[in-house]
Amino acid sequence: MGTWDIGHFDNDTAADFGGTIDDTPADQRADVLAETLRRAAATDGFLDSHYGAQAIAAAALIAAQCPGGEPITTAYGPKKALPELPVALRPLAVEALDQVLSEDSELVELWGETSDLAPWREGVERLRQTLTAANA
């Protein structure tokens, strides 16, 4: 896993995902985010780190548009502005993050081998809280 920090786009997979979003026509970007989140949320069993990292990146993009959401300021995220995303993506993003944070997640396993598990988990849980609050 090419990871250099705990940020939502601070790994090769998420950075590549940001490029994919930029390469997708604006009217199809929400569909790419939805499919990414569905894949993670629907995982029955072990969630591969690749899909987990993409789900976190997708959730971060959605959370950035929520009240109190943190803007994406990293150079590794999409460079192009996203259109206003459907609010229906928010609960799907929460479901995907629940899978990412589960015991059956390779990301939890990999981060558990480092001293950064707690701050990484806190960052993902903040995303989840932002998305959950926006659905209330």
Side-chain angles (χ1 to χ4, degrees):
M1 179 166 84
T3 301
W4 54 88
D5 207 348
I6 62 171
H8 308 312
F9 285 91
D10 293 346
N11 62 78
D12 292 341
T13 301
D16 289 346
F17 183 73
T20 298
I21 296 298
D22 280 340
D23 294 341
T24 301
D27 64 341
Q28 295 174 22
R29 291 182 186 153
D31 295 335
V32 171
L33 296 174
E35 181 56 32
T36 299
L37 295 169
R38 273 190 213 101
R39 182 175 43 240
T43 297
D44 186 26
F46 195 70
L47 178 63
D48 181 82
S49 65
H50 182 80
Y51 298 129
Q54 288 179 340
I56 292 169
L61 294 171
I62 295 162
Q65 292 187 0
C66 293
E70 295 178 24
I72 306 300
T73 58
T74 178
Y76 302 108
K79 311 287 185 268
K80 297 178 182 176
L82 287 174
E84 186 170 335
L85 298 170
V87 297
L89 291 177
R90 294 172 184 175
L92 182 57
V94 170
E95 289 178 43
L97 293 179
D98 286 345
Q99 287 290 349
V100 168
L101 293 171
S102 77
E103 291 180 13
D104 288 332
S105 169
E106 186 177 21
L107 284 176
V108 170
E109 182 180 300
L110 292 170
W111 282 107
E113 297 171 357
T114 74
S115 61
D116 290 324
L117 174 62
W120 171 80
R121 182 181 286 278
E122 288 169 12
V124 177
E125 288 175 350
R126 270 194 316 274
L127 277 182
R128 190 183 183 290
Q129 290 169 355
T130 298
L131 292 158
T132 301
N135 286 328

